[in-house]
């Protein structure tokens, strides 16, 4: 199964003795292990662990989208963002224009998951969370936090009132969180006033 000595060197000892397909839990544990080793290694070794991780993603992806989805839903499993940070698959979108790099899946990881991506008809990786909420419900609950993360780097280039005015037309959000975020950006200006002005 592991023909390359370079690959064997970076795996737990027990895996070097195995052959054939592993189950969902075993693949998830391998990916968690590789991610942890990559994060704790020097640059040279980290590059090798990353390459082995990508190789495993390709192998998992070849086993079908349902199997791959089940692996990616495993607790503690993280994928690399385009900015190089390890994040939950639920926090990453496929590489696309208009999304900050820290919220996009690394390009090599995306290519390794090409079968899964081909099956997805939307931008999001769309993995349901452990708590059983549908992806839309979970996304709705996290809208304010996503907007906050998205607009944080803009503060250096755009007046906060402009950002607040844009956010104010998006509605209240879950438990009024989007409205509160808009108010934070607007300062002394009212959310209702800014939203009404933007709507015309």
């Amino acid at each position: 199964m592991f023909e390359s000595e370079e690959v064997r060197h970076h795996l737990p000892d027990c895996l070097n003795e195995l052959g054939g397909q592993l189950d969902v839990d075993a693949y998830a544990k391998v990916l968690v292990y590789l991610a942890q080793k990559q994060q704790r290694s020097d640059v040279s070794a980290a590059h090798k662990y990353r390459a082995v991780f990508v190789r495993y993603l390709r192998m998992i992806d070849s086993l079908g989208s349902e199997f791959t989805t089940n692996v990616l839903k495993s607790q503690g499993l993280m994928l690399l963002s385009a900015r190089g940070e390890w994040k939950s698959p639920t926090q990453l979108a496929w590489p696309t224009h208009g999304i900050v790099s820290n919220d996009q899946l690394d390009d090599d990881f995306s290519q390794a998951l090409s079968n899964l991506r081909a099956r997805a008809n939307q931008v999001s990786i769309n993995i349901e969370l452990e708590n059983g909420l549908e992806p839309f419900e979970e996304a709705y609950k996290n809208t304010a936090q996503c907007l906050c993360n998205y607009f944080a780097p803009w503060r250096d280039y755009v007046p906060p009132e402009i950002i607040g005015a844009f956010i104010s037309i998006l509605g209240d959000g879950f438990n009024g969180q989007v409205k509160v975020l808009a108010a934070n950006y607007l300062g002394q200006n009212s959310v209702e006033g800014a939203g009404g002005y933007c709507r015309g």
Side-chain angles (χ1 to χ4, degrees):
M1 180 177 186
F2 308 111
E3 68 285 350
S4 166
E5 197 57 45
E6 186 173 313
V7 171
R8 287 183 194 184
H9 174 70
H10 292 90
L11 295 174
D13 292 337
C14 63
L15 288 178
N16 290 319
E17 300 168 12
L18 295 175
Q21 180 180 334
L22 304 174
D23 65 12
V24 166
D25 189 49
Y27 276 121
K29 286 180 180 176
V30 169
L31 293 178
V32 168
Y33 170 85
L34 290 170
Q36 290 171 348
K37 294 294 279 185
Q38 191 272 349
Q39 292 173 68
R40 295 185 197 134
S41 299
D42 62 44
V43 175
S44 174
H47 180 72
K48 292 175 183 174
Y49 280 113
R50 184 183 187 282
V52 175
F53 193 103
V54 169
R55 197 172 204 174
Y56 260 95
L57 281 182
R58 277 196 196 97
M59 192 182 315
I60 293 165
D61 189 58
S62 72
L63 299 173
S65 60
E66 183 178 345
F67 187 87
T68 304
T69 299
N70 288 333
V71 172
L72 296 179
K73 284 170 41 176
S74 299
Q75 186 174 3
L77 192 134
M78 308 288 259
L79 296 175
L80 203 58
S81 77
R83 191 184 289 168
E85 292 184 28
W86 290 92
K87 300 177 83 168
S88 165
T90 60
Q91 297 176 314
L92 294 167
W94 298 109
T96 188
H97 295 291
I99 297 179
V100 294
S101 60
N102 200 40
D103 293 334
Q104 291 186 49
L105 185 62
D106 173 85
D107 194 49
D108 290 338
F109 282 42
S110 175
Q111 289 176 23
L113 294 169
S114 60
N115 292 327
L116 179 63
R117 185 171 184 182
R119 298 277 318 235
N121 292 324
Q122 63 247 5
V123 173
S124 171
I125 291 178
N126 210 16
I127 307 294
E128 291 185 16
L129 296 178
E130 305 262 324
N131 61 15
L133 290 177
E134 292 296 319
F136 174 80
E137 294 172 307
E138 189 62 31
Y140 179 65
K141 287 179 92 172
N142 294 326
T143 300
Q145 185 60 52
C146 289
L147 288 168
C148 184
N149 294 343
Y150 180 76
F151 283 111
W154 290 42
R155 283 182 172 261
D156 295 335
Y157 306 101
V158 177
E161 294 81 9
I162 301 293
I163 298 169
F166 175 78
I167 294 173
S168 71
I169 65 173
L170 301 177
D172 292 346
F174 181 74
N175 287 342
Q177 294 172 353
V178 172
K179 185 176 181 179
V180 169
L181 179 64
N184 290 339
Y185 277 104
L186 287 168
Q188 296 179 349
N189 300 304
S190 77
V191 173
E192 292 77 14
Y197 180 80
C198 289
R199 288 186 203 95

